Amino acid sequence: MKLKPLGCAALLVMGSAAHAQTTTAPAPAAEQTLAPITVTADAENTTYNAPTSTVSGLKTDTPLLETPQAISVVPQAVIKDQAARDLGDVIKNVAGVTPGGYYSEWDYYRIRGFDAAFTTYQDGLRGDYDGIGAETFGLERVEVIKGPASTLYGQAPLGGIVNLVSKRPRREFGGEIGFTGGTWDFYEGTIDINVPLLTPGAPVTPAPLGKGAKAVQPIAVSTSDDLGIYFRLAALYRDKGSFVDYYDYERIYIAPSLTFEWGDDTSLTFLTSYLRDDGLFSMPLPARGTVLPNPNGEIPVSRFIGVPGKSGLLNLDTLRLGYEFKHRFNDSLSIRQNLAYYRVEQHWNDILYNSVLDDDLRTLYANPYDYNRGLYQRFMVDTAVDFLFDTGSIKHSLTLGTDYYYSNQKARYTEINYDDFPGSYVAIDLFKPNYNVSIPQPTIAGSFLKKEHNVGIYLQDHMKLTDKLTFTVGGRYEYLWLDDSGSYGSIPADATDDAFTPKAGITYEFVPGVAAYANYSRSYAPQWGSRDETGAPIAPEEGENWEGGVKYDLLDGRLTGMISVFQLTRENVATSNLATPDPSDATVSGEQRSRGFEFETAAELLPGLQLIAAYTYLDAEVTEDNDIPVGTPLLGVPDHTVTAWLKYTVQDGPLKGFGVGVGGRYYSSQSGDTYHTFDLPSYGLVDTALFYERENYRIQVNFNNVFDKRHFVGSYDELYVLPGEPFNVSASVTWKF
């Protein structure tokens, strides 16, 4: 389906119709005493500074200075100003996070040296499928919880998790319509509209919009009781090419949400979204000719690996249905529940996987593979009760919760006889490709069905011992089981496991607005894909984290940030079992360690002058393994990372609303594969932006990689190296109402 500007125009028409009815809602209700989640946002945050409190760290609305864990928040203002359309572009601003992988359009990232991709959370629940790119237009902010999160969230990577916070209805009518165009045939149309359908209190007639305008009746019907109903719709159409030849990608995103509020004590928000992706993707490039010398020369980053119009065709549909419910019984007791259902259907036609680089270092052989009728379904629910009470002078915020997770994955695929080389492979000349070739059809059919269940119960007590000192302790027990029909030729398995993950932390605000913190926590994650000599899944990996640092929130929130030091040890890592002759037999004797230092800050230096900056030092390496030499650095982890973004907006005079943004990032060299046989070179990039914003509209132009630096952002091995984008420009116009 090709809509291009026509699809964008359709969104503009939708927004124009909505704007024909304008209203003013009454002031928001008072803030709740015990409120785990802020359901409606009444004003968009236009600053770069983190909020004073967040829910994701402790699952209760707790000040960041009292949360004994490093938590970073990237607000919507940063996402907009940087025109960050990929999750990696958002979390590059966070200390300790390294984005970059080996496929474009997928969300790959590492947190504190450990791979955390394909585990992205959304609204506090696991919501990632195969890492396909999250839609940043549908987000209010992105939160990064660093270090183990298993005590509250269950199985999770040791380095931490990323939580996406969806846009929610607001109490006031308003919205925006936008259009963006850019390099490589980039077209995008967006609409984001809030409509109060029912508001408590007396009806209000809004003032006319301008001279000669007529007053209009409010959209919302006002009532004398406490019920309020608020609706929001975020929608997007995007069509884009790439610096890679023949690449084409189309996305449709629709996310309606609806909130019911009964006074200050009860709210129910339905969060839904539909995502449709269609594309023609290219494979990455080999290391020879990109990051390693090749006697044939340098491979252009625009080189398409595949057969244009025939290979790499993807169709993916993602449906998400869910709700968030909360009710406060009194000032001391409340209950909340999050629930979500995901359904993902994907079809890959004629994937050509990079397989062998010939000795001539110019002929790449790729093996065909079809993946069709892939259906992934997930159901998740998290229910918790929060108690506020005192024991003597100690104030407690106690949480008791339970959650359930169910995953059902099934698919059919066809593959080649891999021993038929080169007959069943496609040969591609990396320097003078001839795309007029046929693709051998895979003939060996297979299928799989895998079901997974997790049930957990967790308890946490956040204690305020004095006005300055807090102590948090918690623990979780989780039971999980797997029913695997034999994925990709493995032996069918019916396995169970359980785990207990504790944590403890302390904060001390030694001067107003500055607090020291320390914590100890553990993580776990199943390793269903690694099997022992009997064909059974091996035990889960485990992790241990020691961390300490200082957080600050000064100058009425205009200066925020933190400094952290940490050591994480990843235990029970799958490695080869040397006691058996089969190299695929695994055991859990591997170990990896990451230690480092992080600094990040957000500041409003002067009126209109905003800064975000981060620095990370990481020392991540293998400490025990039967295959990888001890001391080998972990894949894709630079020792040093620096990022910064500065924006200035004129506050007065004839240029009021005009702004300039400039920023950059630097990554030192990083290991290009598991065994560190080559490095991705270090690189630094500079981005700039121009803005002009008035009350009802915004014009923005972004210039990325302004010095056109050839660079490579991630890799898997010597055949999978992903180039970064050359210099590119995008320009957008947004109408606000």
Side-chain angles (χ1 to χ4, degrees):
M1 181 174 64
K2 290 294 170 193
L3 300 179
K4 292 193 176 179
L6 180 60
C8 303
L11 290 174
L12 298 179
V13 172
M14 291 169 56
S16 299
H19 183 259
Q21 305 179 75
T22 306
T23 187
T24 301
E31 185 176 338
Q32 301 177 16
T33 304
L34 181 59
I37 301 171
T38 301
V39 177
T40 54
D42 298 293
E44 180 181 322
N45 179 20
T46 59
T47 71
Y48 290 174
N49 298 85
T52 58
S53 64
T54 185
V55 173
S56 58
L58 301 181
K59 286 193 176 180
T60 58
D61 196 3
T62 305
L64 284 172
L65 291 181
E66 295 183 8
T67 303
Q69 192 167 6
I71 298 175
S72 300
V73 180
V74 184
Q76 193 178 78
V78 173
I79 298 174
K80 279 188 174 182
D81 288 350
Q82 295 182 353
R85 296 181 180 89
D86 301 322
L87 181 58
D89 291 334
V90 177
I91 58 180
K92 72 186 181 189
N93 297 287
V94 177
V97 178
T98 309
Y102 46 93
Y103 292 133
S104 62
E105 308 305 335
W106 270 254
D107 294 329
Y108 290 91
Y109 54 89
R110 289 156 296 286
I111 304 177
R112 291 184 169 176
F114 295 110
D115 185 15
F118 304 173
T119 59
T120 306
Y121 280 64
Q122 185 163 3
D123 301 317
L125 299 171
R126 291 168 62 184
D128 198 346
Y129 277 97
D130 283 353
I132 193 70
E135 183 46 62
T136 59
F137 180 72
L139 304 179
E140 288 187 350
R141 64 185 182 274
V142 174
E143 302 169 338
V144 181
I145 305 171
K146 304 176 194 175
S150 290
T151 299
L152 293 178
Y153 293 93
Q155 56 172 288
L158 170 60
I161 64 173
V162 172
N163 181 49
L164 313 179
V165 181
S166 302
K167 289 179 175 178
R168 287 159 169 75
R170 295 175 180 158
R171 295 185 178 94
E172 296 181 353
F173 177 84
E176 63 180 38
I177 303 167
F179 176 79
T180 303
T183 310
W184 308 309
D185 296 325
F186 183 97
Y187 301 97
E188 179 181 274
T190 60
I191 180 170
D192 184 5
I193 182 170
N194 287 273
V195 180
L197 302 178
L198 188 67
T199 59
V204 178
T205 300
L209 294 175
K211 185 177 180 180
K214 296 181 179 180
V216 296
Q217 295 301 314
I219 293 176
V221 177
S222 299
T223 64
S224 59
D225 57 24
D226 291 333
L227 176 62
I229 305 177
Y230 311 96
F231 174 76
R232 185 169 190 171
L233 174 67
L236 169 147
Y237 171 77
R238 178 185 300 140
D239 187 279
K240 68 175 184 175
S242 168
F243 63 93
V244 178
D245 296 335
Y246 306 108
Y247 178 101
D248 192 28
Y249 178 85
E250 184 183 55
R251 166 168 284 189
I252 297 173
Y253 173 77
I254 302 173
S257 55
L258 184 67
T259 291
F260 296 83
E261 287 185 342
W262 292 269
D264 295 334
D265 295 332
T266 307
S267 67
L268 174 65
T269 297
F270 292 97
L271 298 168
T272 65
S273 64
Y274 170 75
L275 191 66
R276 169 76 178 185
D277 290 290
D278 292 286
L280 172 65
F281 295 92
S282 174
M283 283 293 166
L285 302 174
R288 290 286 189 175
T290 54
V291 298
L292 293 176
N294 189 318
N296 299 290
E298 192 175 76
I299 302 173
V301 296
S302 60
R303 180 69 71 235
F304 183 87
I305 304 299
V307 180
K310 297 180 180 179
S311 68
L313 300 172
L314 168 69
N315 304 108
L316 188 145
D317 292 276
T318 304
L319 174 67
R320 177 179 183 261
L321 305 172
Y323 67 77
E324 294 181 347
F325 170 77
K326 70 173 185 177
H327 176 69
R328 185 182 67 168
F329 295 98
N330 51 51
D331 289 347
S332 301
L333 177 63
S334 69
I335 187 171
R336 51 189 164 85
Q337 184 178 78
N338 289 9
L339 181 146
Y341 167 76
Y342 285 81
R343 186 184 189 277
V344 181
E345 185 173 352
Q346 59 178 334
H347 301 272
W348 280 91
N349 295 315
D350 289 319
I351 312 172
L352 292 180
Y353 284 114
N354 300 357
S355 185
V356 177
L357 182 62
D358 193 83
D359 291 340
D360 64 5
L361 298 182
R362 67 179 302 142
T363 305
L364 177 69
Y365 291 96
N367 67 272
Y369 183 88
D370 283 340
Y371 182 89
N372 288 304
R373 293 180 294 280
L375 179 61
Y376 291 6
Q377 296 182 87
R378 284 183 177 175
F379 174 79
M380 298 148 284
V381 59
D382 180 16
T383 307
V385 180
D386 299 309
F387 304 88
L388 290 181
F389 61 93
D390 298 342
T391 56
S393 62
I394 301 175
K395 300 182 182 299
H396 296 262
S397 176
L398 181 71
T399 298
L400 174 64
T402 181
D403 53 35
Y404 172 72
Y405 166 85
Y406 170 74
S407 172
N408 183 316
Q409 305 179 29
K410 61 181 179 180
R412 295 182 178 181
Y413 56 90
T414 52
E415 53 190 348
I416 64 170
N417 177 6
Y418 296 102
D419 293 331
D420 182 21
F421 180 83
S424 293
Y425 293 70
V426 175
I428 301 170
D429 188 327
L430 295 169
F431 296 90
K432 295 184 68 175
N434 173 20
Y435 293 126
N436 188 24
V437 297
S438 60
I439 301 175
Q441 289 304 303
T443 57
I444 302 175
S447 64
F448 70 84
L449 173 63
K450 183 166 68 173
K451 300 177 182 179
E452 182 181 345
H453 304 259
N454 295 34
V455 177
I457 183 169
Y458 55 90
L459 180 66
Q460 173 185 269
D461 192 4
H462 177 67
M463 294 166 275
K464 194 158 187 176
L465 307 179
T466 70
D467 289 340
K468 299 181 178 181
L469 180 65
T470 74
F471 179 65
T472 303
V473 62
R476 174 191 183 92
Y477 174 78
E478 181 154 333
Y479 181 79
L480 55 159
W481 62 98
L482 171 74
D483 182 6
D484 188 348
S485 67
S487 303
Y488 298 105
S490 64
I491 298 175
D494 186 359
T496 62
D497 248 314
D498 62 347
F500 176 74
T501 48
K503 72 172 183 180
I506 189 171
T507 68
Y508 180 68
E509 190 173 357
F510 53 91
V511 297
V514 182
Y517 80 95
N519 80 62
Y520 169 81
S521 53
R522 293 192 63 85
S523 70
Y524 89 98
Q527 302 183 99
W528 301 126
S530 297
R531 304 295 177 91
D532 63 19
E533 64 276 11
T534 69
I538 61 175
E541 71 170 53
E542 299 179 6
E544 180 182 67
N545 174 63
W546 294 92
E547 177 181 348
V550 175
K551 302 181 179 186
Y552 53 91
D553 187 340
L554 302 168
L555 305 178
D556 294 326
R558 297 193 304 274
L559 177 62
T560 60
M562 62 183 153
I563 300 170
S564 306
V565 293
F566 53 86
Q567 175 167 306
L568 301 93
T569 304
R570 186 182 175 202
E571 306 162 345
N572 284 4
V573 179
T575 185
S576 295
N577 187 348
L578 301 181
T580 68
D582 189 341
S584 64
D585 291 344
T587 187
V588 289
S589 59
E591 184 182 89
Q592 301 170 357
R593 187 218 63 221
S594 174
R595 57 168 65 116
F597 167 85
E598 297 167 350
F599 164 72
E600 65 183 34
T601 192
E604 186 178 353
L605 304 174
L606 296 169
L609 183 61
Q610 299 192 78
L611 168 73
I612 54 171
Y615 168 74
T616 307
Y617 167 73
L618 280 173
D619 176 18
E621 65 180 18
V622 175
T623 51
E624 294 181 25
D625 203 275
N626 292 337
D627 303 304
I628 309 170
V630 171
T632 300
L634 300 187
L635 168 66
V637 183
D639 290 345
H640 302 277
T641 303
V642 183
T643 65
W645 176 263
L646 182 71
K647 179 189 177 183
Y648 176 69
T649 304
V650 178
Q651 301 295 293
D652 298 297
L655 293 180
K656 180 181 179 180
F658 176 77
V660 178
V662 61
R665 53 198 184 277
Y666 168 79
Y667 300 94
S668 63
S669 62
Q670 52 191 277
S671 175
D673 65 355
T674 301
Y675 293 89
H676 193 207
T677 63
F678 69 95
D679 280 326
L680 298 186
S682 62
Y683 65 92
L685 306 176
V686 174
D687 305 321
T688 62
L690 299 175
F691 311 91
Y692 185 67
E693 186 166 8
R694 305 299 288 181
E695 182 178 355
N696 295 324
Y697 65 90
R698 172 187 173 103
I699 301 171
Q700 176 175 333
V701 183
N702 288 81
F703 306 87
N704 299 317
N705 191 4
V706 295
F707 296 111
D708 201 22
K709 172 72 173 178
R710 178 180 165 102
H711 64 290
F712 298 88
V713 298
S715 61
Y716 174 71
D717 61 19
E718 61 186 9
L719 295 179
Y720 289 80
V721 176
L722 185 66
E725 291 186 342
F727 170 73
N728 62 92
V729 181
S730 66
S732 63
V733 179
T734 303
W735 176 40
K736 299 183 290 183
F737 53 88

